[in-house]
Amino acid sequence: MIDPILVLMNGGLRLDDQPALAAAERAGVPVIPVYILDDAVHGEWKPGAASRWWLMKSLEALGRSFEAIGSRLILRAGGTVHMVEALLEATGAKSVFMLRGYSPAARWTEAALHDMCKVRGVTCRRFAGSLLLEPEQVATGAGTPYTVFTPFWRRCRELIEDIEPTPAPLRLRAPEVWPESADMAELNLAPKPAFWADPIAASWVPGENGGRLMLDRFVADVMAGYQRTRDLPGQEGTSRLSPYLAFGEISVRRVWRRCRAFATAFETAESGAAAYLREIGWREFATHLLFHFPDLPEQPLRDQFKAFPWRQGPGDALTEWQKGLTGFPIVDAGMRELWQTGWMHNRVRMIVASFLVKDLLWHWRDGAAWFWDTLVDADLANNTMGWQWVAGCGPDAAPYFRIFNPVTQGEKFDPKGTYVREFVPELADLPDEYIHKPFEAPALVLKAAGVTLGGNYPKPMVDRRLSRERALAALGSIKKN
Ligand SMILES: Cc1cc2nc3c(=O)[nH]c(=O)nc-3n(C[C@H](O)[C@H](O)[C@H](O)COP(=O)(O)OP(=O)(O)OC[C@H]3O[C@@H](n4cnc5c(N)ncnc54)[C@H](O)[C@@H]3O)c2cc1C
């Protein structure tokens, strides 16, 4: 019997440009692809409800892709090391291949697997494949990690060489006997109640094929104008690739390659591709930061913010924000888009986050936890950096005193109220002039639009002049420390 290779698929749920899988295929021996759901190792950052739904659909899709090339996806739930040991026993495999991860849980798991394999005399290899550059490759002249984005990205652009993604295997050699696989139900990923995810399912096609179609759509219809449309939540002006990137259903190296090809073919549109690659750069930045500062999900990068007088824990204000009942239309539209579709536009993420941490003075970690549970693209590095950026306590963050005004932000980026009208339908008949500030509309205008403040739409939950002053006073209190 030829010893098979176990390939852990956790780091990248795809066949295309999956270096661990490609290396196993090249070895010419039977390959056993495995996915292990190890909730315990992630602690409070185990996949949230929306991510669990996505993961279930994605694993189903991946299973079908493996079957199409004569293989199978073996599922297991439990501690990764224990599960891999059991699979080594059951299959006689002498090698374990995997993609490298950067979160504290992934790094802990890799180290533990490595130790276990060493003791058993099994080869344990990890492959880079989720980033354009590895964290060890990008350092300042002093050898320290970059904590400011612009010089970080400049350095990355110098270092990134021509990237040639590896194509998906056409056929994988099967083992003589397949090990047992858990049923999908044993992974406990399905939403409860089941219909909870129906609106999310109407918005997305999880899995590698869905990601490829999304990239095709973006390159064909959106990329050229991305720089202009990326801040407009009422348009399909971004790639919506974030969940596919978060689950590794599309390779960032494949995305890079397509962008470069586009820029070369349509030189006048280079700015769209370059602006897009810069956003991909923010993803690299966030992941490198999480690698270098593994306690970022819990602790602010700027120490002085440890003393900030945040409000914390459950509370009515937090619930109103979560439900999209703040009385500020762009904030409510964003929070309802998140609940209904599992995704929110980046501009609106910044507005709703600013409202929570500055106008409500609520702890950014409570906001991050809500996003974690409801986003289909929940990504520990991006989510942590996004929240710390808005709260002003993170790397290269927006200064705390810069407080987004939800009315002027709405008027600037959603001038006709297209976005608000879609997600806050009770305001749909308001004229453009008042769509972002119904609380300033004359009684007759409200009546004509069928809006009753405090009735079918809430009155503003804060007086923004006062909440702004309160936020600045809170900032003053930590500056004295
Ligand atoms: C408070 C807050 C929380 C966030 N939480 C997450 C999260 O959990 N997961 C997540 O993927 N993104 C998060 N982001 C970043 C960003 O909002 C999303 O990546 C983006 O909206 C996804 O939509 P898209 O794929 O259409 O983006 P595009 O504009 O098409 O960008 C392409 C890709 O670049 C990356 N990217 C874009 N903007 C950022 C950014 N600011 N930081 C890091 N990477 C970026 C993403 O991978 C994205 O898919 C957060 C931002 C904020 C302000």
Side-chain angles (χ1 to χ4, degrees):
M1 185 178 104
I2 308 170
D3 297 336
I5 297 177
L6 296 185
V7 180
L8 292 189
M9 297 298 296
N10 289 55
L13 303 179
R14 63 176 186 270
L15 303 191
D16 177 52
D17 196 37
Q18 225 285 17
L21 192 64
E25 184 209 11
R26 273 197 309 275
V29 302
V31 176
I32 302 178
V34 181
Y35 181 89
I36 300 170
L37 182 74
D38 184 353
D39 275 335
V41 75
H42 295 283
E44 64 178 301
W45 299 112
K46 73 176 190 194
S51 293
R52 292 180 94 77
W53 171 82
W54 186 286
L55 181 58
M56 176 177 75
K57 295 289 168 194
S58 186
L59 290 174
E60 287 168 0
L62 188 63
R64 289 192 293 274
S65 301
F66 274 119
E67 275 166 30
I69 58 167
S71 186
R72 278 184 205 178
L73 178 64
I74 302 299
L75 301 176
R76 291 284 164 108
T80 306
V81 175
H82 180 63
M83 289 297 149
V84 170
E85 271 191 301
L87 284 163
L88 291 172
E89 292 286 341
T91 61
K94 295 280 181 296
S95 304
V96 182
F97 288 5
M98 71 196 99
L99 280 192
R100 181 184 185 190
Y102 307 89
S103 70
R107 292 170 68 187
W108 185 89
T109 305
E110 281 165 23
L113 273 177
H114 186 266
D115 290 350
M116 180 273 287
C117 286
K118 200 168 172 195
V119 170
R120 298 178 73 104
V122 167
T123 306
C124 183
R125 286 183 65 191
R126 45 169 220 181
F127 296 79
S130 304
L131 293 172
L132 297 170
L133 292 165
E134 295 306 294
E136 296 84 355
Q137 289 176 274
V138 192
T140 64
T144 54
Y146 284 97
T147 52
V148 179
F149 175 72
T150 302
F152 167 83
W153 189 231
R154 201 182 305 124
R155 184 73 190 120
C156 288
R157 297 295 305 252
E158 287 164 6
L159 289 170
I160 296 171
E161 287 167 5
D162 214 16
I163 292 170
E164 192 57 67
T166 20
L170 297 175
R171 199 91 202 143
L172 279 182
R173 196 163 160 188
E176 278 167 28
V177 184
W178 283 100
E180 261 182 52
S181 173
D183 282 343
M184 188 63 82
E186 288 172 56
L187 270 56
N188 195 21
L189 296 172
K192 292 180 197 82
F195 62 79
W196 172 82
D198 287 353
I200 302 183
S203 309
W204 299 97
V205 181
E208 186 169 9
N209 287 339
R212 194 175 304 124
L213 289 174
M214 211 58 130
L215 178 61
D216 289 346
R217 174 205 72 99
F218 175 67
V219 173
D221 302 339
V222 184
M223 174 123 60
Y226 177 76
Q227 205 164 13
R228 188 175 38 80
T229 59
R230 58 179 287 258
D231 265 324
L232 306 174
Q235 291 188 21
E236 292 253 333
T238 66
S239 70
R240 294 182 181 245
L241 277 176
S242 49
Y244 302 97
L245 284 165
F247 283 92
E249 292 164 2
I250 196 156
S251 154
V252 70
R253 295 145 41 100
R254 177 70 65 198
V255 175
W256 172 272
R257 184 85 190 167
R258 285 287 293 275
C259 288
R260 295 307 309 155
F262 183 90
T264 312
F266 307 100
E267 280 223 291
T268 50
E270 157 106 47
S271 55
Y276 185 72
L277 289 176
R278 197 176 151 84
E279 295 311 306
I280 294 291
W282 276 99
R283 174 181 180 272
E284 294 276 309
F285 186 51
T287 312
H288 287 209
L289 283 169
L290 181 62
F291 177 83
H292 292 299
F293 304 99
D295 64 352
L296 266 192
E298 329 300 334
Q299 297 296 339
L301 190 81
R302 289 163 201 239
D303 261 355
Q304 63 179 152
F305 274 85
K306 285 183 180 158
F308 195 90
W310 305 109
R311 295 155 81 192
Q312 230 175 324
D316 290 347
L318 181 67
T319 309
E320 281 162 37
W321 175 80
Q322 289 170 338
K323 289 189 169 169
L325 294 172
T326 67
F328 291 91
I330 191 99
V331 175
D332 294 340
M335 298 310 292
R336 296 186 201 181
E337 179 183 33
L338 174 60
W339 184 252
Q340 285 168 34
T341 70
W343 184 86
M344 194 197 300
H345 189 277
N346 180 58
R347 168 61 47 183
V348 190
R349 288 187 206 206
M350 292 193 279
I351 299 170
V352 303
S354 173
F355 189 80
L356 185 75
V357 298
K358 295 181 180 172
D359 288 290
L360 300 182
L361 221 60
W362 218 275
H363 204 302
W364 59 269
R365 275 204 310 255
D366 287 337
W370 181 251
F371 270 32
W372 187 258
D373 201 33
T374 50
L375 278 172
V376 288
D377 67 18
D379 174 281
L380 193 58
N382 289 358
N383 196 37
T384 302
M385 186 185 68
W387 279 96
Q388 289 219 24
W389 185 89
V390 176
C393 59
D396 202 2
Y400 187 86
F401 60 77
R402 201 167 292 153
I403 301 177
F404 280 91
N405 178 331
V407 175
T408 51
Q409 286 282 311
E411 288 171 346
K412 185 167 177 196
F413 296 110
D414 185 32
K416 299 248 167 252
T418 319
Y419 179 70
V420 165
R421 286 176 218 281
E422 181 178 353
F423 290 103
V424 190
E426 61 269 36
L427 300 181
D429 291 333
L430 276 177
D432 295 358
E433 190 184 353
Y434 296 110
I435 189 75
H436 292 290
K437 46 183 179 198
F439 39 85
E440 285 185 15
L444 272 178
V445 172
L446 289 175
K447 192 160 182 233
V451 177
T452 315
L453 294 182
N456 64 350
Y457 186 70
K459 291 180 180 164
M461 66 186 288
V462 288
D463 174 333
R464 284 219 64 256
R465 198 176 47 81
L466 297 179
S467 62
R468 199 171 173 280
E469 277 171 19
R470 186 178 60 174
L472 294 176
L475 179 67
S477 76
I478 61 164
K479 275 194 170 159
K480 286 185 211 116
N481 290 334

